[in-house]
């Protein structure tokens, strides 16, 4: 997959951008606040329907503008596709693929694959379990429409069950049994599918994670990631029974707290650096290297599953990296098909040399260097 052309109008501080991109590393240089992150956000939004910064549409609208529009032309070998995202305040957003309206994110994720990194992704190492679940789920949803469907169904069932539990607090004990049973049946059916897929993903990306981090650290540290599902089960064949037993054991507690306490929405991943929990012992530079390695391991996974390389969107990946790690990261990124990278460091262009096209962003305008 290759982004051939980017068109942006009135997105944050970007007034009008038209860019043709080659199928290699594209470096965007500029000061903080110049619009580098906004450009990557616009690309991510058009190809996935969501901002990796979790921003609302009103915030992404350029001050004083009446609309914003993003168009991305993509090539898959000899095949071409175009993604468009438009927004006018007071109206429903418009999503299109090849000029046909798109109703859901699922259609976009089937068509396009994006792997992004931003400074906020340090939460993969230091943050809450929800940050790790969100990152892993996004890769798996991009890899598999059936996973996305199961996750959507599961999350809806959790919300409905939580609402019922709150209602039952007011109704008193002895009611709601059949309804809870119905929701629990849905949680088991879809939850088992999620757990099996997450477990397989963790195993299938383990070698890539180790190899990528070894290159970044110059083989100085070992890394591992362990999946920790909330359902204790030695193997997949026992999952359904283990899930049912956990729901039964927590039934009274869930009624008291009015909250679903069992299932994949409580899962986590523990990341280890040199055998120790990274969230406790990793430096900022090590954590950034870990987060990048996790993202690139996801890239390799998607590349295998989809038989096509995703596009990389890497925002400020060099911050807090020592010169050695930064240099090795530049060498590594060159192995991963097309990449859009931002940096505030002009020296990055010299390091990449002829291996990258360089653009400068200043006051919301983009020019080729």
């Amino acid at each position: 997959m290759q982004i051939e052309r980017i068109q942006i109008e009135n997105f944050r501080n970007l007034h009008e951008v038209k860019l043709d991109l080659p199928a290699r590393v594209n470096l965007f240089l500029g000061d903080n606040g110049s619009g580098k992150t906004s450009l990557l956000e616009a690309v991510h939004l058009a190809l996935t329907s969501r901002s990796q910064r979790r921003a609302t549409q009103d915030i992404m609208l350029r001050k004083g503008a009446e609309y914003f529009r993003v168009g991305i032309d993509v090539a898959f070998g000899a095949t071409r596709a175009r993604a468009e995202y438009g927004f006018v305040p007071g109206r429903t957003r418009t999503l299109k693929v090849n000029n046909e309206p798109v109703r859901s994110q699922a259609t976009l994720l089937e068509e396009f694959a994006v792997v992004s990194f931003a400074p906020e992704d340090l939460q993969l190492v230091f943050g809450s379990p929800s940050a790790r679940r969100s990152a892993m789920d996004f890769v798996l949803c991009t890899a598999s429409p059936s996973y996305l469907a199961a996750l959507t169904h599961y999350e809806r069932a959790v919300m409905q069950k939580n609402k019922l539990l709150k209602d039952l607090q007011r109704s008193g004990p002895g009611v709601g049994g059949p309804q809870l049973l119905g929701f629990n049946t849905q949680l088991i059916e879809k939850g088992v599918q999620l757990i099996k897929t997450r477990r397989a993903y963790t195993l299938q990306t383990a070698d890539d994670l180790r190899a990528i981090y070894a290159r970044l650290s110059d083989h100085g540290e070992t890394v591992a990631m362990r999946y920790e599902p909330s359902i204790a089960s030695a193997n997949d064949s026992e999952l359904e029974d283990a899930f049912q037993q956990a729901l039964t054991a927590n039934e009274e507690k869930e009624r008291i707290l009015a909250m679903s306490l069992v299932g994949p929405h409580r899962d986590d991943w523990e990341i280890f650096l040199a055998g120790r929990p990274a969230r406790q012992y990793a430096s900022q530079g090590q954590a950034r290297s870990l987060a990048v390695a996790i993202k690139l391991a996801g890239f390799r996974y998607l590349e295998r599953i989809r038989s096509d390389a995703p596009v990389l969107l890497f925002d400020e990946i060099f911050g807090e990296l020592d010169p050695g790690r930064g240099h090795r990261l530049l060498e590594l990124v060159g192995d991963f098909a097309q990449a859009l990278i931002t940096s505030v460091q002009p020296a990055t262009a010299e390091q990449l040399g002829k291996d990258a096209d360089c653009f400068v962003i200043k006051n919301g305008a983009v020019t080729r260097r």
Side-chain angles (χ1 to χ4, degrees):
M1 174 177 162
Q2 175 202 343
I3 294 175
E4 292 189 319
R5 187 171 176 81
I6 298 173
Q7 295 175 288
I8 301 172
E9 297 177 62
N10 300 323
F11 188 88
R12 291 196 185 261
N13 63 335
L14 301 173
H15 174 47
E16 186 174 10
V17 174
K18 294 181 180 179
L19 287 177
D20 294 317
L21 300 181
R24 60 175 188 161
V25 175
N26 295 270
L27 176 66
F28 296 89
L29 294 173
D31 295 333
N32 293 327
S34 61
K36 305 185 306 299
T37 298
S38 298
L39 187 142
L40 298 194
E41 182 183 24
V43 173
H44 196 279
L45 183 71
L47 295 180
T48 71
S49 83
R50 78 174 196 178
S51 160
Q52 71 270 48
R53 301 162 77 181
R54 293 175 173 78
T56 63
Q57 294 162 130
D58 289 325
I59 291 176
M60 293 184 284
L61 180 65
R62 186 170 180 263
K63 186 176 180 180
E66 297 180 351
Y67 70 94
F68 76 70
R69 183 183 299 119
V70 182
I72 310 294
D73 293 311
V74 176
F76 303 92
T79 304
R80 299 293 185 273
R82 179 175 174 83
E84 296 178 80
Y85 189 112
F87 171 69
V88 177
R91 300 185 189 176
T92 304
R93 68 179 183 180
T94 57
L95 293 172
K96 293 182 180 180
V97 173
N98 298 329
N99 210 33
E100 294 292 329
V102 171
R103 292 184 178 274
S104 68
Q105 185 187 47
T107 303
L108 290 171
L109 295 185
E110 283 190 60
E111 186 79 22
F112 309 109
V114 176
V115 174
S116 68
F117 173 86
E120 293 80 9
D121 285 317
L122 290 180
Q123 294 302 307
L124 280 169
V125 179
F126 296 129
S128 66
S130 63
R132 287 178 285 279
R133 286 195 301 271
S134 178
M136 307 303 174
D137 281 341
F138 185 74
V139 174
L140 292 170
C141 288
T142 304
S144 169
S146 64
Y147 185 90
L148 175 57
L151 181 65
T152 302
H153 191 140
Y154 178 86
E155 289 180 338
R156 185 185 304 118
V158 170
M159 291 177 58
Q160 291 171 336
K161 179 180 174 181
N162 286 345
K163 182 180 183 303
L164 175 61
L165 287 169
K166 289 181 172 63
D167 292 341
L168 294 180
Q169 276 191 330
R170 294 189 291 270
S171 304
V175 296
Q179 290 174 286
L180 281 175
L181 179 61
F183 287 130
N184 285 345
T185 300
Q186 295 179 54
L187 295 184
I188 293 173
E189 178 188 354
K190 301 304 179 182
V192 165
Q193 181 180 345
L194 300 181
I195 294 170
K196 287 180 179 179
T197 307
R198 289 175 177 180
R199 181 177 282 164
Y201 171 78
T202 307
L203 292 173
Q204 292 169 23
T205 57
D207 289 343
D208 287 323
L209 178 62
R210 283 192 292 267
I212 293 167
Y213 189 82
R215 285 187 63 181
L216 289 174
S217 66
D218 198 22
H219 302 275
E221 303 132 357
T222 59
V223 65
M225 186 167 66
R226 184 177 68 203
Y227 176 44
E228 297 183 339
S230 67
I231 305 299
S233 171
N235 54 63
D236 288 349
S237 63
E238 300 172 353
L239 260 177
E240 190 170 329
D241 289 341
F243 207 145
Q244 182 59 69
Q245 291 170 14
L247 285 168
T248 301
N250 285 274
E251 182 177 357
E252 184 176 352
K253 191 174 182 180
E254 287 188 336
R255 281 180 175 265
I256 293 172
L257 297 176
M259 182 185 300
S260 300
L261 301 176
V262 174
H265 62 293
R266 294 280 183 161
D267 288 355
D268 196 4
W269 281 260
E270 183 74 75
I271 304 166
F272 296 92
L273 188 62
R276 301 191 297 180
R279 56 190 164 86
Q280 297 176 0
Y281 293 98
S283 68
Q284 289 291 316
Q286 288 172 324
R288 187 174 291 263
S289 298
L290 279 169
V292 168
I294 291 169
K295 293 284 187 169
L296 292 179
F299 178 104
R300 289 300 189 209
Y301 176 83
L302 289 173
E303 189 176 39
R304 289 192 296 270
I305 295 295
R306 297 173 66 105
S307 300
D308 189 32
V311 168
L312 283 176
L313 306 177
F314 272 19
D315 188 27
E316 296 295 353
I317 55 175
F318 303 105
E320 297 165 336
L321 293 180
D322 59 59
R325 285 179 190 262
H327 179 71
R328 289 189 291 273
L329 177 56
L330 283 175
E331 291 181 336
L332 182 63
V333 167
D335 297 341
F336 284 79
Q338 189 183 46
L340 281 63
I341 301 174
T342 71
S343 178
V344 297
Q345 305 169 13
T348 306
E350 279 66 50
Q351 288 180 283
L352 285 168
K354 296 181 180 180
D355 295 327
D357 277 41
C358 186
F359 303 84
V360 175
I361 301 184
K362 186 174 182 180
N363 298 325
V366 186
T367 56
R368 188 179 292 271
R369 189 179 183 189

